[in-house]
Amino acid sequence: MSVFGNIGNYIRESQIWGSVFRHGIPRDRRTRAMAVLSNVFLHLHPVAVRKSGIRLSFTWCMGGLTFFLFLAETITGVLLMFYYRPVVEYAYNDIIQLRAHVTLGLLREIHRWGAHAMVIAIWLHMLRVFLTGSYKPPREFNWGVGVILLKLTLLLSFTGYLLPWDQLAIWAITVGSNMARATPVLGHEGPGAAAMMIGDVPLIHAGSDARFLLLAGTSVGPGALLRFYVLHCIFIPLVVLVLIAVHFWRIRKDGGISGPL
Amino acid sequence: MLKQAIMNGLNTLVLAAASDGGLGGAIKDLLNRASVPQIFVPLMAIGLIVALLTYRVWTKPKIAGLLGLGFIGFYLWSATDENFFKIIVKPDNVPITIMLTAMAIVTWVAFRQAAINDRRIERGEPLIESGADDKVLVWPDLVYTEMICLVLCTIALVVWAILLKAPLEPAANPTNIPNPSKAPWYFLGLQELLVYFDPWIAGVLLPGFIILGLVALPYIDKNPRGNGYYTFSQRKMVIWVFMFGWIILWVALIVLGTFLRGPNWNIFGPYETWDAHRPAALLNVNVSDLFWVVLPEKTGLWNPGLPKEPMWGLPTWLVREGPGLMVLGAYFFILPVVLAKSVCAKLYKDLGLIRYAVFWLLMSWMILVPIKMVLRWLFNLKYFVAITEYFFNI
């Protein structure tokens, strides 16, 4: 046996290795099953799956890629938070500084293109699930969870769009958030808002409507930047994380990757 | 109108081929002219219809290969045009090219398998997806596939990040409004709808209905067939509706909004320069104008002019918008009932009252989008109902 083999055996027989991995090298059915069962991440999967279900031409791996991109966004996003302050006076300059001075200056690029890729991947995932009829019973509820995740992905991308605080950012968000002012009943230029009166006092006006709630003001300003930052970095990711857990759990509970009945 | 556009196009093709631009110039000119929504959207719709009808043809690898090569050739040739190039290399437009390519590939893969499965169903043979019900272990079969996908995706992402800098424009300036101001690309289909609908519909109601409709889909589509495998023949209706919504009302409008909308939200062909000084002349009319002004002018039945004061004990706006309200009321509430009694009798029986009502609520709004587009193109129709006093314009 070679020196490396000896070292390898020594490591694998040590108490440390044995405490981390409860099974031997996954070479036979039993240890391969153990490899999946005894690992918190891998045991998102069942031990065995239908062969035709995991073909790349069937799933396109788009659900998995969406999840992977979410992780990539989380990691690069956390790193970006070290360099960025969501204050109007600093935000733009922080991005300039990031571009100019930070080593491995690909962080922002990976984050931005990853976000676009995630939007594309989740759309294609939905297309695949639709075209294979996988939303049909018993998976109706999980399809609904997926639709909400799709919407949250778009909102994640949308809230992140504002953060660089350049011309592209504020005007795209202005166009988008102007819609909120036309929300029926809840926007001051929406139908039904005029009916929301107490005596002569309007309840819904530019300073109290749905857009005001979103922007913390009547236009895209410092309040909106902070609000979008918190939504982008904390609130929506937390909700997404919970829903991903439900989504994955239900895939298992609803019978795994779909296939002909 | 379409006929005239085609004649115009053919004319220019002949003329331009004879002049300096040559054939390339003529094709560009033709495509520039075909970029207006009233030609672009119907062309896309015709393309989708032809594609769905002939899915067994273009899913053959050789034909798909030819189509793919033709498209790549066309795209590269277009990229030699300065204006086209300028638009596709805008950093935030690059994802659209990637999305269209990815979409073409996966749609082909899906319909290829649907075509094979449909043939097998006709012959009574087992599906692609069945016959392999022997299970495999997740370790190594699935875990390794996932890891390879993950590695490839990482490489692609890093290469993308190295090749293309994330865009950063001048610092935000609330007094300097760019022309055009565009939402992020994935919302541009909705922004395009602002041309036809007020914000409360284009920006709130329709997105809400899209989400509601998608969530409701499994409860409305009661067809038990086609669960867990690719097929078209067993789920024709739902795939037609979904693909129309997805390809035409979502993707095609995104392409239109990003590639073809320029300053003042005017349409510019893919090979045209964005000229901010091109005038936009549009005179739109409402149903109330048609009923109270145009109709009496043509027939002389009553005095032309919009009602200016209450009549028959009804407020002015109700009298003025009465005709439009009746049209919409008939469309939303009477048409579904008539259909339930006639063409859709079987559907109604299968779905039951509540499912049928939800189905038509969603379908009415989805179909209203192309209806309003066509009416705008043909008659410059602005609103069916324009109760501007209460921001209630449809």
Side-chain angles (χ1 to χ4, degrees):
Chain A
M1 188 167 282
S2 68
V3 180
F4 289 111
N6 277 334
I7 296 175
N9 275 344
Y10 179 75
I11 291 174
R12 273 194 296 276
E13 282 158 17
S14 71
Q15 189 187 354
I16 298 177
W17 182 274
S19 68
V20 178
F21 302 105
R22 294 291 189 200
H23 52 79
I25 297 172
R27 279 193 187 127
D28 53 36
R29 270 192 85 81
R30 190 183 158 278
T31 42
R32 282 175 172 177
M34 286 295 289
V36 174
L37 278 175
S38 62
N39 181 309
V40 67
F41 304 107
L42 290 181
H43 106 291
L44 284 171
H45 305 101
V47 169
V49 283
R50 294 177 58 255
K51 196 172 179 183
S52 73
I54 57 167
R55 285 174 307 128
L56 211 51
S57 59
F58 185 75
T59 64
W60 314 340
C61 206
M62 280 301 163
L65 282 186
T66 308
F67 180 57
F68 164 67
L69 286 164
F70 176 75
L71 295 181
E73 291 300 283
T74 308
I75 293 166
T76 50
V78 167
L79 292 176
L80 282 169
M81 285 168 80
F82 287 131
Y83 299 99
Y84 174 83
R85 288 162 290 181
V87 182
V88 171
E89 288 78 13
Y90 297 137
Y92 183 72
N93 214 28
D94 284 350
I95 303 281
I96 299 268
Q97 296 297 322
L98 181 78
R99 286 225 297 199
H101 299 304
V102 177
T103 324
L104 281 178
L106 288 180
L107 268 184
R108 187 168 160 255
E109 274 68 27
I110 293 180
H111 195 74
R112 192 177 187 101
W113 304 138
H116 288 313
M118 189 173 160
V119 169
I120 297 170
I122 200 166
W123 284 0
L124 297 183
H125 176 56
M126 188 186 77
L127 184 66
R128 190 286 286 182
V129 173
F130 172 79
L131 286 175
T132 53
S134 304
Y135 57 83
K136 299 188 175 205
R139 298 185 179 80
E140 310 99 305
F141 174 76
N142 215 14
W143 163 267
V145 174
V147 172
I148 305 301
L149 278 169
L150 175 96
K151 186 199 159 157
L152 289 173
T153 302
L154 292 181
L155 285 182
L156 266 177
S157 196
F158 183 68
T159 47
Y161 218 80
L162 181 64
L163 303 185
W165 203 249
D166 59 347
Q167 280 287 77
L168 193 64
I170 67 158
W171 292 106
I173 303 306
T174 303
V175 169
S177 59
N178 267 345
M179 299 299 114
R181 123 184 117 171
T183 314
V185 183
L186 296 177
H188 78 283
E189 286 181 9
M196 304 287 281
M197 302 272 278
I198 298 182
D200 281 344
V201 185
L203 272 182
I204 302 291
H205 50 81
S208 73
D209 66 348
R211 189 183 57 158
F212 191 86
L213 178 76
L214 186 66
L215 297 184
T218 53
S219 63
V220 179
L225 182 58
L226 184 60
R227 219 159 259 211
F228 274 50
Y229 178 76
V230 175
L231 285 173
H232 184 74
C233 302
I234 308 289
F235 185 78
I236 304 179
L238 280 180
V239 179
V240 166
L241 213 54
V242 171
L243 287 180
I244 287 178
V246 176
H247 199 59
F248 285 3
W249 170 255
R250 283 301 291 250
I251 296 174
R252 292 280 308 266
K253 293 293 139 182
D254 294 342
I257 298 173
S258 64
L261 300 173
Chain B
M1 196 163 132
L2 192 67
K3 194 179 158 196
Q4 200 184 354
I6 293 170
M7 291 304 292
N8 277 345
L10 286 178
N11 268 340
T12 24
L13 196 65
V14 174
L15 283 177
S19 70
D20 309 339
L23 189 62
I27 294 173
K28 285 180 185 176
D29 199 56
L30 190 68
L31 290 175
N32 279 339
R33 280 155 193 270
S35 299
V36 290
Q38 51 265 52
I39 299 178
F40 178 80
V41 177
L43 274 184
M44 287 286 142
I46 292 169
L48 177 71
I49 291 170
V50 171
L52 285 182
L53 288 177
T54 61
Y55 76 107
R56 292 184 189 210
V57 179
W58 55 263
T59 48
K60 295 197 170 101
K62 277 182 190 161
I63 295 177
L66 280 178
L67 287 175
L69 281 179
F71 181 77
I72 292 170
F74 169 74
Y75 206 78
L76 291 178
W77 169 76
S78 288
T80 59
D81 183 275
E82 185 190 358
N83 293 304
F84 188 88
F85 188 72
K86 216 183 272 174
I87 282 196
I88 57 166
V89 296
K90 257 188 203 167
D92 271 3
N93 285 354
V94 171
I96 302 175
T97 302
I98 293 177
M99 179 197 66
L100 293 177
T101 318
M103 214 181 76
I105 294 170
V106 296
T107 308
W108 185 83
V109 169
F111 276 84
R112 166 85 185 147
Q113 294 176 84
I116 294 175
N117 270 343
D118 289 347
R119 179 133 310 148
R120 292 188 179 187
I121 290 166
E122 283 161 18
R123 292 179 186 159
E125 293 166 2
L127 303 162
I128 304 174
E129 287 85 352
S130 51
D133 56 355
D134 49 328
K135 294 215 165 185
V136 290
L137 286 171
V138 161
W139 186 296
D141 289 67
L142 180 54
V143 176
Y144 274 55
T145 311
E146 284 174 345
M147 201 179 84
I148 292 166
C149 283
L150 189 153
V151 169
L152 290 179
C153 180
T154 310
I155 293 172
L157 201 55
V158 172
V159 169
W160 189 358
I162 292 172
L163 291 181
L164 197 65
K165 279 277 154 216
L168 192 65
E169 290 188 1
N173 179 357
T175 57
N176 180 8
I177 308 176
N179 184 10
S181 290
K182 290 187 179 183
W185 63 271
Y186 36 84
F187 286 147
L188 274 188
L190 296 172
Q191 197 178 355
E192 180 62 23
L193 290 183
L194 282 174
V195 175
Y196 306 96
F197 291 98
D198 272 13
W200 73 279
I201 295 179
V204 185
L205 216 58
L206 290 176
F209 278 139
I210 294 173
I211 293 165
L212 184 69
L214 287 172
V215 173
L217 173 64
Y219 305 97
I220 294 174
D221 176 17
K222 299 278 281 174
N223 177 5
R225 296 186 301 167
N227 186 345
Y229 53 93
Y230 288 104
T231 173
F232 182 44
S233 66
Q234 293 192 334
R235 303 170 53 211
K236 277 214 157 116
M237 182 180 141
V238 71
I239 291 184
W240 273 101
V241 173
F242 185 92
M243 291 308 270
F244 180 78
W246 162 241
I247 303 281
I248 305 299
L249 297 183
W250 192 257
V251 176
L253 292 189
I254 286 176
V255 172
L256 186 69
T258 35
F259 289 166
L260 305 176
R261 288 287 182 188
N264 307 328
W265 214 245
N266 278 331
I267 284 289
F268 291 86
Y271 314 104
E272 275 181 294
T273 314
W274 281 13
D275 171 14
H277 303 292
R278 182 200 277 187
L282 256 189
L283 194 63
N284 289 331
V285 293
N286 298 331
V287 167
S288 54
D289 300 317
L290 292 175
F291 183 82
W292 294 109
V293 183
V294 179
L295 190 65
E297 273 174 358
K298 294 253 162 87
T299 61
L301 287 175
W302 57 83
N303 286 334
L306 287 175
K308 293 279 191 290
E309 50 208 46
M311 264 198 278
W312 311 307
L314 300 172
T316 318
W317 58 265
L318 193 55
V319 178
R320 189 187 68 221
E321 302 302 333
L325 282 169
M326 275 189 260
V327 171
L328 278 189
Y331 174 73
F332 278 113
F333 300 109
I334 299 178
L335 183 67
V337 179
V338 174
L339 287 174
K341 302 257 177 205
S342 55
V343 190
C344 301
K346 188 175 173 298
L347 186 73
Y348 178 71
K349 196 167 137 276
D350 290 347
L351 292 186
L353 178 65
I354 295 177
R355 283 193 175 88
Y356 184 81
V358 175
F359 169 71
W360 263 109
L361 171 74
L362 297 163
M363 281 303 281
S364 315
W365 280 99
M366 184 171 169
I367 300 172
L368 190 65
V369 174
I371 287 181
K372 186 113 190 251
M373 287 179 165
V374 171
L375 289 177
R376 171 70 59 82
W377 302 333
L378 293 181
F379 308 113
N380 288 336
L381 179 81
K382 189 163 175 119
Y383 295 124
F384 290 102
V385 168
I387 309 171
T388 31
E389 296 90 328
Y390 300 107
F391 301 111
F392 188 85
N393 308 320
I394 297 176

